[in-house]
Amino acid sequence: MQNFNKLIQEHFGQLTDQELEMLYSYFTEEKLQKNDIFTESDKVCNKLSIVQSGILRVYTLSDGKEITQWISTENYLITEVMGFFFDQPNRWTIQALTDTQLLTITKENYRKLCKEFPKWIEIEKRFIVKCFTMMEERVFSHLSMSAEERYYAYFQYNKALFNQVPLQYIASVLGMTAETFSRIRKRQIENS
């Protein structure tokens, strides 16, 4: 619960110990084994989770090719937005790349929480703004940076991932082919 409290306070503002305890009571612990599916495309996601440990990949198939949209690690929230918030079929599949521990709230409990704890609406708004800001930053980097600049920026904030997940997933997140990624990585290693 200590990590939960820290994460909520850090990302969503100050809450009392009593409010944090009440929030925590809506979540349950969930474990995924490596390769387990959190939610699948064309289904409707019914949960939102905080990643306590492990790595998940958000991806889809397009023209027979996998496209990785996001790699989620410890202390990130994970859900499929269209399914969870809009009850529409998921666009993305979310899969555990490692054994993963989550704190999960079901859609039903989420709706109860919104009714029973009005302050949650402000927390939810902050969550959505953070998601929107992250997406804006990704779009900006794809529009304004070269592939090499995107690689270096991502590497600076996610060094450990480069030894934990297949590199083609990171290349996909960065919007580049595996070959381009490999050439940039080789140059980086040679210049180190």
Side-chain angles (χ1 to χ4, degrees):
M1 183 166 162
Q2 190 172 8
N3 285 347
F4 174 85
N5 292 354
K6 183 180 176 196
L7 179 75
I8 296 295
Q9 301 278 26
E10 190 175 296
H11 292 286
F12 306 113
Q14 296 300 311
L15 297 173
T16 67
D17 288 344
Q18 185 178 4
E19 289 171 328
L20 288 166
E21 197 170 307
M22 188 273 303
L23 276 178
Y24 187 79
S25 71
Y26 282 87
F27 287 80
T28 57
E29 291 191 12
E30 181 181 4
K31 292 182 181 185
L32 298 176
Q33 300 298 311
K34 181 179 180 175
N35 297 321
D36 283 354
I37 299 296
F38 177 86
T39 192
E40 286 184 88
S41 61
D42 297 325
K43 301 235 163 111
V44 176
C45 184
N46 65 355
K47 58 187 176 178
L48 178 142
S49 297
I50 297 168
V51 181
Q52 293 189 293
S53 67
I55 301 171
L56 296 115
R57 175 174 76 122
V58 180
Y59 74 97
T60 193
L61 288 174
S62 177
D63 296 327
K65 188 171 113 178
E66 284 187 2
I67 298 173
T68 300
Q69 186 250 11
W70 186 255
I71 298 172
S72 190
T73 56
E74 186 177 330
N75 292 330
Y76 276 96
L77 294 164
I78 189 84
T79 192
E80 209 292 343
V81 173
M82 294 303 289
F84 189 78
F85 289 106
F86 300 106
D87 293 320
Q88 294 184 13
N90 301 337
R91 288 184 247 175
W92 305 97
T93 294
I94 303 173
Q95 179 184 32
L97 294 180
T98 63
D99 290 350
T100 304
Q101 291 188 318
L102 307 166
L103 276 176
T104 298
I105 187 168
T106 64
K107 193 181 303 189
E108 181 183 338
N109 276 347
Y110 190 89
R111 289 180 176 146
K112 283 182 194 173
L113 178 60
C114 289
K115 287 179 186 169
E116 296 171 14
F117 185 54
K119 202 173 186 178
W120 182 257
I121 302 303
E122 182 61 31
I123 291 170
E124 179 182 62
K125 195 184 310 179
R126 288 181 185 194
F127 167 66
I128 291 168
V129 167
K130 281 184 177 287
C131 290
F132 185 74
T133 301
M134 287 171 61
M135 291 307 294
E136 269 190 335
E137 288 173 5
R138 281 195 66 197
V139 168
F140 180 75
S141 75
H142 277 70
L143 294 174
S144 67
M145 299 169 108
S146 68
E148 198 156 334
E149 289 169 328
R150 288 194 311 272
Y151 175 95
Y152 288 121
Y154 194 83
F155 182 77
Q156 290 305 312
Y157 291 102
N158 300 285
K159 288 179 185 171
L161 275 183
F162 283 66
N163 295 318
Q164 296 174 317
V165 302
L167 296 178
Q168 72 263 23
Y169 298 163
I170 297 172
S172 184
V173 167
L174 295 173
M176 62 182 75
T177 64
E179 294 79 20
T180 299
F181 182 91
S182 185
R183 277 193 307 274
I184 293 169
R185 183 166 169 78
K186 184 179 178 189
R187 276 196 300 270
Q188 184 214 22
I189 291 168
E190 288 171 353
N191 294 332
S192 295

